[in-house]
Amino acid sequence: MPIFAAHFMNTIEQIRKWCNGTWLAKADNNAGIDTLAIDSRNIEHPASSLFIALKTSLRDGHSYIPEAWQKGVRNFLVSNDMDTTGISGANFIQVKDTLTALQQIAANHRKQFKIPVIGITGSNGKTMIKEWLYQLLSGQYNIVRSPKSYNSQIGVPLSVWQMEAEHELGIFEAGISQPGEMEKLEKMILPSLGIFTNIGEAHSEGFMNNRQKINEKLMLFRHTAQLVYCLDHSELNQCIIQFMHQVRSANTENPLQLFTWSQKQDADLRITDIDKSGIKTTISARYKGKETSITIPFTDDASVENAIHCWCLMLLLGISSKEIKAQMLLLQPVSMRLELRHGINDCTVINDSYNSDLTSLQHALNYLDQQKQHGQHTVIMSDILEIGRRDLDLYDEVAALVSKRTISRFIGIGPALYKNKASFRKHKKLRSIFFKSTEDFLKNFHLLTFNKEAILLKGARVFAFEKIGMLLEQKVHQTVMSIDLSALTHNLNVFRAELSPGVKTMAMVKAFAYGSGSYEIANLLQYAGVDYLSVAYTDEGITLRKAGIKMPIMVMSPDASSFDRMIAWRLEPEIFNFRSLTEFMDIAQTLEVKKYPVHIKLDTGMHRLGFNPGDMEQLAKQVKESTGIHVASIFSHLAASDDPNEDAFTNGQGELFKQMSQTLIDALGYKPMLHLCNSAGIIRHHHLHFDMVRLGLGLYGVDSSNVLQSKLKQISTLKTNIAQVRTIPAGDNIGYGHHTIAPTDMRIATICIGYADGYPRSLGKGNAYVLIHGKQAKTLGSICMDMCMVDITHIPEAQEGDEVIVFGKELPVTQLAAWANTISYEIMTSISQRVKRIYVNEE
């Protein structure tokens, strides 16, 4: 989560008045506040930060107050009654609800500014339109905008707090999921101009119907002067007309004015033609009786709709058609996420070209800090453009931000950074190098060394940092698996919401984290506050330790020969029989280890590993007499937790687990943690959660019980590309074995994936399909080791080099498993490590 700072300083006393708070403890009521912090892990300016203890269904921010205080924060907003005697020199403001107070603070902060503000809502396109408006207007305005997709009840107040005296235009997006939310967002954004993008099915579950959802979203524009929307959405149009009459009757001084566009009927901007040619689209229209047009470097329908909304808004602002036309041609794609890739010489490359401003820089630096697998960190950064501040002040602040962290080298690219290199050179521990341009850097690349380090690429688009990325990234197989870390966090939170307070979570990262990459997944889970990790073998755990993972790790299938290495690397073994127990106790005695944590596995019906019910008395006796071990947990494994027909068996396992565990607890004289539930058990058997649950496949977006599947996000997308396109005449063979004969003339594509990449041979001969340009392309012939062939006769636009989706959001991995007559686990864990993993994060 980015840090939200405003150079517009407010006092803590002013903030107290804004949120109607009372003093719980007062050290300095004139303390200046320019930063709102809700995450104790990311505190940039502790002396001027207000830590807001938010409560959610998953966490209580009050638990993190000591950590924030240790980092130097001295101003706190709380709702709990607290004993503050042990937290000296701090201001504590108490309110009834900290989220409401945060929104009140943002609303009052917003009232200090009289600049035009654009509010954007709708089902789709909000973030794209906001970012494109920033690209189109930043040459004429100093703009403050929502970071990424910060459009929620928490995201909007943090976004609005960024408003400062030098800003000339604000652009904020607003999203809701249930009635009553938009009224709160409107008070904070107070838009003078509005865009309603469209209406669709997104977030419909919180509303009775589309009309209710539209009317709720329209509350954003209660005090707006002008609203842009498309007439061609008939239900939306009806609601807006009715809303306009209601607003006008209530606000006769400044009645709402509508600015419409349409492809079908008369409108303020009447679209007369859309011509898609190559990689560009020319959109022709009639405006105020005159013909006009724009050309954008995109051809998809969503981009066309988004561009027209931006066009309308620019016309409302009085920008000339000539200027609009010129700027539209320069529109750039918007990537809303960080990408983490494997680089040359065992480096990790973090590519963040989403935007270039201080807020996104702080977010990227936070993410760089999390890369503990490397002792060396390097930042390669371009000039920050169009921010409306003196270069000297700006780069002094950037240098201060960078120097506070464990960054060993800073490489600055651009004339402004080159001119202000003294800002960085005064920080003696930071090694800094500067180049006047990207071309200058590329010419000297061979003189620089990049080896076993984490590298952050942070550049404004005009600096073409993709050229630097190509040099730094490891050259591997063309087939790529993209792993969405923000989706993984989402899935974790879906399962956490099923747990009672105090129930801990163990996350399974065995088998290369189900094919997703062990370290990268483990690092995110460590940052997210998971309590335990579990791996299958000792070597997996050692790899995580070497990469900087410090949290407890349980090894589920330890080999007795590796017990000494487990102790050396602080890995905790599963003990499942008397042989492993005796051998570990012997090693512990030899190494003079006392009370080393172990996990006792019981067999309650799975009959794979574990102590039997008849073993409990002897087990209790041996464990009690040992000084070398301490039982950290007792656990077992459910065999059929996903099957309602086997609930009686599952409940029987639960009862047996309780009995066996209690025998051991009675002998020990202390209570270890108990855990029984896997992913399906978490969902279907809440009474068996005990002290901890084990989250495996569900974390990766697959629910074998199918109860929560609609709430989960698939985290992985496996994609490749077309190597060759050819036309096959009727009667010709396709592939090995002369089994597949073309029934008619066919156009086929050879794609760069085969069984050596983990694509099952059973999916050949038409038993599966891939997606090309969103269309199904069935397999032809046998799956080869490195390639396979698909039918593209019905996809004339398919060309060599085009992207091919093997599985992902539109083609779930569960479908491939069904085709292959196997389970999702097997498909995911079979993806070869020669397949390049790319990690993306939208948080």
Side-chain angles (χ1 to χ4, degrees):
M1 169 94 48
I3 308 301
F4 289 84
H7 293 87
F8 195 98
M9 189 79 73
N10 297 291
T11 68
I12 189 69
E13 172 63 19
Q14 180 64 67
I15 287 176
R16 183 191 68 80
K17 291 177 180 177
W18 283 347
C19 64
N20 300 312
T22 57
W23 289 111
L24 198 60
K26 180 165 63 173
D28 177 11
N29 65 345
N30 289 316
I33 301 297
D34 65 6
T35 302
L36 301 181
I38 63 172
D39 188 338
S40 60
R41 296 169 297 185
N42 300 324
I43 303 290
E44 291 288 346
H45 310 286
S48 57
S49 291
L50 173 67
F51 181 79
I52 303 171
L54 294 177
K55 290 183 177 181
T56 69
S57 60
L58 301 175
R59 292 184 180 179
D60 184 349
H62 296 81
S63 303
Y64 302 95
I65 288 174
E67 181 182 348
W69 187 84
Q70 287 290 336
K71 291 184 175 181
V73 177
R74 294 297 180 265
N75 298 283
F76 298 91
L77 183 67
V78 301
S79 58
N80 289 357
D81 290 324
M82 295 184 57
D83 180 6
T84 62
T85 53
I87 306 178
S88 60
N91 292 314
F92 278 83
I93 298 172
Q94 188 176 32
V95 294
K96 184 177 180 180
D97 180 85
T98 47
L99 176 57
T100 300
L102 168 62
Q103 294 172 346
Q104 290 170 333
I105 292 166
N108 281 281
H109 180 70
R110 165 70 180 90
K111 290 176 182 176
Q112 298 178 109
F113 304 94
K114 303 300 181 184
I115 62 174
V117 169
I118 303 167
I120 307 171
T121 193
S123 294
N124 300 295
K126 297 185 291 293
T127 302
M128 287 295 298
I129 290 172
K130 178 201 67 188
E131 291 303 317
W132 275 3
L133 284 174
Y134 178 77
Q135 292 182 28
L136 294 164
L137 299 173
S138 57
Q140 302 186 41
Y141 296 90
N142 186 343
I143 299 174
V144 57
R145 72 194 192 283
S146 310
K148 301 200 174 185
S149 297
Y150 278 69
N151 56 32
S152 67
Q153 298 294 302
I154 296 174
V156 167
L158 294 177
S159 300
V160 169
W161 179 257
Q162 296 176 112
M163 296 181 75
E164 300 179 19
E166 62 261 30
H167 288 132
E168 300 167 326
L169 177 68
I171 311 175
F172 301 110
E173 55 178 292
I176 59 172
S177 57
Q178 60 188 22
E181 291 184 337
M182 190 62 85
E183 189 174 356
K184 298 174 183 177
L185 301 186
E186 188 272 340
K187 291 177 180 178
M188 293 178 276
I189 297 174
L190 284 178
S192 51
L193 300 169
I195 297 176
F196 202 128
T197 63
N198 49 50
I199 196 69
E201 295 304 315
H203 304 296
S204 293
E205 60 272 14
F207 303 94
M208 293 185 295
N209 50 47
N210 256 6
R211 188 169 289 270
Q212 185 194 25
K213 184 166 66 170
I214 293 169
N215 289 331
E216 287 291 335
K217 288 178 179 288
L218 283 170
M219 295 301 290
L220 179 61
F221 308 116
R222 288 186 304 163
H223 302 99
T224 298
Q226 294 172 303
L227 174 61
V228 172
Y229 76 101
C230 177
L231 282 174
D232 299 340
H233 301 286
S234 59
E235 191 173 25
L236 175 61
N237 183 44
Q238 293 169 15
C239 291
I240 289 179
I241 296 299
Q242 184 180 7
F243 176 75
M244 178 189 69
H245 291 312
Q246 292 172 353
V247 170
R248 286 182 174 179
S249 62
N251 185 7
T252 55
E253 292 184 7
N254 296 295
L256 175 66
Q257 300 294 322
L258 304 180
F259 190 104
T260 61
W261 68 271
S262 174
Q263 297 183 62
K264 301 176 181 179
Q265 55 189 302
D266 286 340
D268 293 292
L269 185 69
R270 174 65 165 93
I271 307 302
T272 56
D273 185 55
I274 296 176
D275 179 24
K276 298 180 179 180
S277 177
I279 60 171
K280 294 182 179 180
T281 300
T282 297
I283 309 168
S284 301
R286 188 166 54 252
Y287 177 61
K288 291 186 176 180
K290 295 182 179 180
E291 300 299 322
T292 185
S293 67
I294 60 170
T295 299
I296 61 172
F298 303 92
T299 58
D300 61 287
D301 291 341
S303 293
V304 170
E305 183 179 55
N306 293 338
I308 296 172
H309 278 115
C310 293
W311 190 4
C312 293
L313 200 287
M314 295 176 80
L315 290 171
L316 272 180
L317 291 175
I319 298 173
S320 70
S321 294
K322 181 180 178 181
E323 178 67 15
I324 294 173
K325 200 165 190 173
Q327 291 299 319
M328 286 287 182
L329 266 174
L330 302 176
L331 280 176
Q332 297 289 324
V334 175
S335 172
M336 289 170 282
R337 53 196 185 179
L338 296 166
E339 290 189 346
L340 189 150
R341 299 170 180 253
H342 295 296
I344 59 173
N345 303 326
D346 294 325
C347 290
T348 297
V349 179
I350 303 169
N351 192 345
D352 181 19
S353 56
Y354 172 64
N355 50 39
S356 181
D357 55 37
L358 285 175
T359 300
S360 66
L361 173 62
Q362 289 168 342
H363 177 56
L365 290 174
N366 289 339
Y367 194 64
L368 178 63
D369 279 347
Q370 296 172 38
Q371 307 311 310
K372 306 296 185 185
Q373 74 273 37
H374 298 293
Q376 299 290 317
H377 288 182
T378 292
V379 173
I380 304 176
M381 178 180 157
S382 77
D383 289 351
I384 297 178
L385 305 178
E386 297 157 350
I387 202 168
R389 291 178 58 188
R390 271 202 330 152
D391 280 355
L392 180 60
D393 296 336
L394 173 63
Y395 293 112
D396 274 350
E397 183 170 354
V398 171
L401 280 173
V402 172
S403 65
K404 287 178 184 177
R405 301 168 184 270
T406 56
I407 293 169
S408 49
R409 180 169 52 167
F410 178 87
I411 299 175
I413 297 175
L417 273 167
Y418 192 87
K419 182 179 179 182
N420 290 277
K421 53 190 173 185
S423 296
F424 297 83
R425 296 269 165 86
K426 63 187 178 186
H427 297 280
K428 302 301 182 185
K429 293 183 179 180
L430 180 66
R431 187 157 56 99
S432 56
I433 310 167
F434 297 88
F435 299 91
K436 292 182 178 179
S437 66
T438 302
E439 290 68 29
D440 189 19
F441 171 87
L442 296 173
K443 288 176 184 176
N444 291 278
F445 181 79
H446 65 286
L447 300 175
L448 301 170
T449 300
F450 297 94
N451 186 47
K452 295 181 179 179
E453 57 193 289
I455 306 165
L456 170 63
L457 281 180
K458 186 70 177 143
R461 290 191 179 279
V462 295
F463 286 89
F465 268 27
E466 62 272 14
K467 297 177 182 178
I468 300 176
M470 289 175 64
L471 291 177
L472 289 174
E473 289 171 19
Q474 186 179 8
K475 304 298 187 293
V476 291
H477 191 25
Q478 290 173 312
T479 300
V480 170
M481 187 150 80
S482 174
I483 295 135
D484 187 344
L485 297 178
S486 57
L488 185 120
T489 301
H490 166 86
N491 294 340
L492 172 63
N493 289 334
V494 168
F495 280 93
R496 276 175 164 171
E498 297 289 313
L499 306 179
S500 299
V503 176
K504 297 180 183 295
T505 305
M506 174 183 284
M508 317 304 285
V509 292
K510 60 182 180 177
F512 199 51
Y514 294 75
S516 300
S518 300
Y519 168 72
E520 292 80 5
I521 300 298
N523 190 41
L524 180 139
L525 294 170
Q526 178 172 265
Y527 187 75
V530 165
D531 302 283
Y532 256 90
L533 295 178
S534 177
V535 297
Y537 297 104
T538 303
D539 286 345
E540 291 178 321
I542 292 174
T543 298
L544 293 180
R545 285 283 185 251
K546 287 180 176 179
I549 300 299
K550 301 184 183 304
M551 62 188 296
I553 300 175
M554 181 178 81
V555 181
M556 299 193 76
S557 304
D559 189 309
S561 64
S562 68
F563 281 159
D564 55 341
R565 290 193 297 145
M566 291 184 66
I567 292 173
W569 288 97
R570 306 182 325 281
L571 303 173
E572 303 173 16
E574 168 190 317
I575 302 296
F576 52 84
N577 60 16
F578 288 110
R579 181 177 65 86
S580 60
L581 176 64
T582 302
E583 289 177 338
F584 190 81
M585 288 193 299
D586 289 346
I587 288 290
Q589 184 177 13
T590 300
L591 298 177
E592 299 182 348
V593 172
K594 303 295 183 183
K595 295 184 177 181
Y596 195 87
V598 300
H599 302 265
I600 302 296
K601 175 72 174 287
L602 307 180
D603 183 3
T604 59
M606 179 84 166
H607 297 328
R608 183 172 61 184
L609 294 174
F611 290 95
N612 295 315
D615 297 332
M616 298 315 295
E617 287 188 15
Q618 182 184 347
L619 173 63
K621 182 176 182 296
Q622 284 191 232
V623 171
K624 183 179 180 181
E625 292 175 353
S626 172
T627 60
I629 65 172
H630 173 85
V631 181
S633 82
I634 305 169
F635 73 105
S636 187
H637 200 102
L638 295 176
S641 59
D642 59 340
D643 188 350
N645 296 320
E646 298 293 342
D647 282 353
F649 176 76
T650 299
N651 288 326
Q653 279 195 274
E655 287 303 315
L656 183 57
F657 177 65
K658 291 177 188 177
Q659 295 168 18
M660 295 173 69
S661 299
Q662 194 58 52
T663 300
L664 194 53
I665 292 169
D666 291 343
L668 289 173
Y670 61 88
K671 184 180 180 298
M673 291 184 294
L674 305 182
H675 50 107
L676 180 63
C677 282
N678 53 11
S679 297
I682 294 170
I683 302 166
R684 299 195 61 253
H685 301 283
H686 291 79
H687 63 295
L688 299 179
H689 285 179
F690 296 104
D691 304 304
M692 185 161 67
V693 296
R694 300 189 302 275
L695 184 52
L697 193 61
L699 193 61
Y700 304 92
V702 178
D703 172 19
S704 59
S705 73
N706 211 35
V707 176
L708 283 182
Q709 189 61 62
S710 62
K711 293 185 179 180
L712 299 178
K713 297 180 179 180
Q714 185 164 316
I715 74 164
S716 301
T717 300
L718 181 62
K719 51 192 175 183
T720 186
N721 57 33
I722 297 175
Q724 187 174 24
V725 172
R726 66 172 72 241
T727 299
I728 301 294
D732 267 21
N733 169 68
I734 302 170
Y736 283 120
H738 204 256
H739 298 306
T740 301
I741 306 299
T744 61
D745 291 352
M746 298 181 72
R747 190 165 179 261
I748 72 170
T750 301
I751 63 175
C752 302
I753 190 169
Y755 60 78
D757 301 301
Y759 196 63
R761 290 192 75 240
S762 60
L763 298 188
K765 302 176 184 177
N767 291 323
Y769 62 77
V770 296
L771 295 177
I772 300 174
H773 291 285
K775 298 177 181 177
Q776 298 176 10
K778 277 198 168 188
T779 58
L780 294 168
S782 299
I783 304 298
C784 308
M785 179 179 285
D786 308 303
M787 300 276 183
C788 65
M789 286 71 77
V790 296
D791 182 6
I792 58 169
T793 307
H794 59 298
I795 314 176
E797 63 270 34
Q799 302 294 330
E800 292 177 359
D802 284 358
E803 183 178 85
V804 178
I805 301 298
V806 180
F807 65 71
K809 183 179 179 181
E810 295 80 15
L811 179 53
V813 69
T814 49
Q815 180 61 71
L816 269 72
W819 287 332
N821 194 29
T822 184
I823 57 176
S824 301
Y825 293 78
E826 184 175 344
I827 298 292
M828 294 170 67
T829 57
S830 296
I831 302 303
S832 168
Q833 292 195 35
R834 80 176 187 177
V835 173
K836 182 178 181 180
R837 268 71 171 177
I838 297 174
Y839 301 88
V840 298
N841 197 338
E842 297 181 5
E843 293 298 318

